[in-house]
Amino acid sequence: MESALDYWSARALLDWQIEMGADEAMLDAPLDRYTLTDTRPAMTPAPGAAAAPGPVRIEEPDPVALAHATAEAAPDLEALAAAMEGFEPCDLRRGARSFVFAAGRAGARVMLLLDPPHREEDRAGTPVAGPAAVLLERMLAAIGLSAEAPDAERAVYMAPVLPWRIPGDRAPDPKDLAMMRPFLDRHVALADPDVVVIMGSVACAALIKGGGLHRLRGRWTELSGRPALPIFSPAHLIANPVAKREAWADLLALKTRLDGGMA
């Protein structure tokens, strides 16, 4: 029976193996490496030990709810404009040149809600620009209104349904429209017009359910508790002059409502 190695003998043998180039301890029996896996065995917690905490999930705030709270906190139009311009969840603000809030006279009897800015409006920083602005002024003048009028009776106030140009002037994402809708509702409430005119196909689709502008134009509806009239935009009339007859009828209906009649 062999005697057990003492410490110094075992140490001498180990030093000799290292000098010979051995760099790994081997088992007494061969190891089948084909059966090995990288799976680490599950550790069973000791009795009474607290379970390890799982990964922490950070819930992203609902952008619509955040927009609603932010808009409702604005006491006036100036504060609302600042809140909209700095609203981080809307990515459109990063790609547009201008923040287009409104134009005309706040407190006017008539408020126009327009399609989102396109290239000319983005460059000018106004809700309507170029030939469309010229035609709009003529349309309003035909029924005694003007965006430049000093008195609320004849004045017009206007704002787009989105304050930033959409890249490529494409159709807006419904998520962006839903996100910014609380700001628009607050805008109408603070401007407090007697009548709202929904001007343009995008504005109509964003604000009224039940069909497109061609089906809904000229029919009085309600928005934020106020009478609202969908009509063609100046840009549409420039591209489709034949529609000017219908636009004139809609303008006369607006004048009748403002004069105290029912159109």
Side-chain angles (χ1 to χ4, degrees):
M1 181 176 181
E2 297 181 357
S3 60
L5 289 173
D6 58 58
Y7 171 80
W8 294 109
S9 298
R11 175 65 182 270
L13 288 173
L14 180 60
D15 290 340
W16 176 78
Q17 292 178 29
I18 293 174
E19 290 180 3
M20 294 298 294
D23 59 2
E24 184 177 356
M26 304 298 293
L27 302 176
D28 294 335
L31 178 65
D32 185 359
R33 297 185 180 275
Y34 291 101
T35 63
L36 297 180
T37 65
D38 292 332
T39 304
R40 180 177 298 182
M43 298 182 63
T44 304
V56 178
R57 293 186 60 187
I58 301 176
E59 295 291 338
E60 294 290 336
D62 177 12
V64 176
L66 181 59
H68 181 77
T70 304
E72 287 300 314
D76 52 40
L77 290 172
E78 184 178 357
L80 182 67
M84 290 176 66
E85 189 171 13
F87 191 63
E88 285 288 343
C90 190
D91 291 332
L92 294 177
R93 60 193 289 273
R94 297 174 177 84
R97 174 181 297 185
S98 301
F99 170 69
V100 182
F101 181 66
R105 187 187 188 281
R109 292 187 67 194
V110 178
M111 183 174 185
L112 307 182
L113 298 181
L114 309 171
D115 288 346
H118 282 195
R119 178 178 296 178
E120 288 194 77
E121 288 78 22
D122 186 40
R123 288 176 176 174
T126 58
V128 60
V134 175
L135 179 56
L136 177 59
E137 187 62 27
R138 290 176 179 170
M139 292 168 65
L140 296 174
I143 56 172
L145 301 177
S146 172
E148 306 298 329
D151 59 293
E153 289 294 316
R154 297 182 57 250
V156 168
Y157 183 64
M158 64 185 78
V161 293
L162 287 176
W164 296 285
R165 180 193 178 194
I166 302 168
D169 294 331
R170 58 172 172 76
D173 190 320
K175 292 182 180 179
D176 290 327
L177 291 170
M179 186 190 310
M180 300 307 292
R181 176 64 186 268
F183 289 105
L184 189 63
D185 290 339
R186 184 62 175 161
H187 201 160
V188 174
L190 291 172
D192 196 22
D194 292 338
V195 175
V196 175
V197 176
I198 302 170
M199 185 171 280
S201 58
V202 175
C204 183
L207 299 173
I208 304 177
K209 296 181 179 179
L213 180 57
H214 284 270
R215 179 175 177 271
L216 297 175
R217 57 137 293 271
R219 300 182 182 184
W220 285 96
T221 183
E222 188 177 283
L223 183 71
S224 300
R226 295 168 172 80
L229 181 66
I231 71 174
F232 291 130
S233 68
H236 177 82
L237 297 176
I238 291 173
N240 303 274
V242 69
K244 289 183 178 181
R245 175 189 290 271
E246 296 168 317
W248 174 239
D250 297 341
L251 290 172
L252 291 178
L254 173 61
K255 179 175 172 53
T256 300
R257 176 65 66 112
L258 292 173
D259 290 343
M262 294 296 295

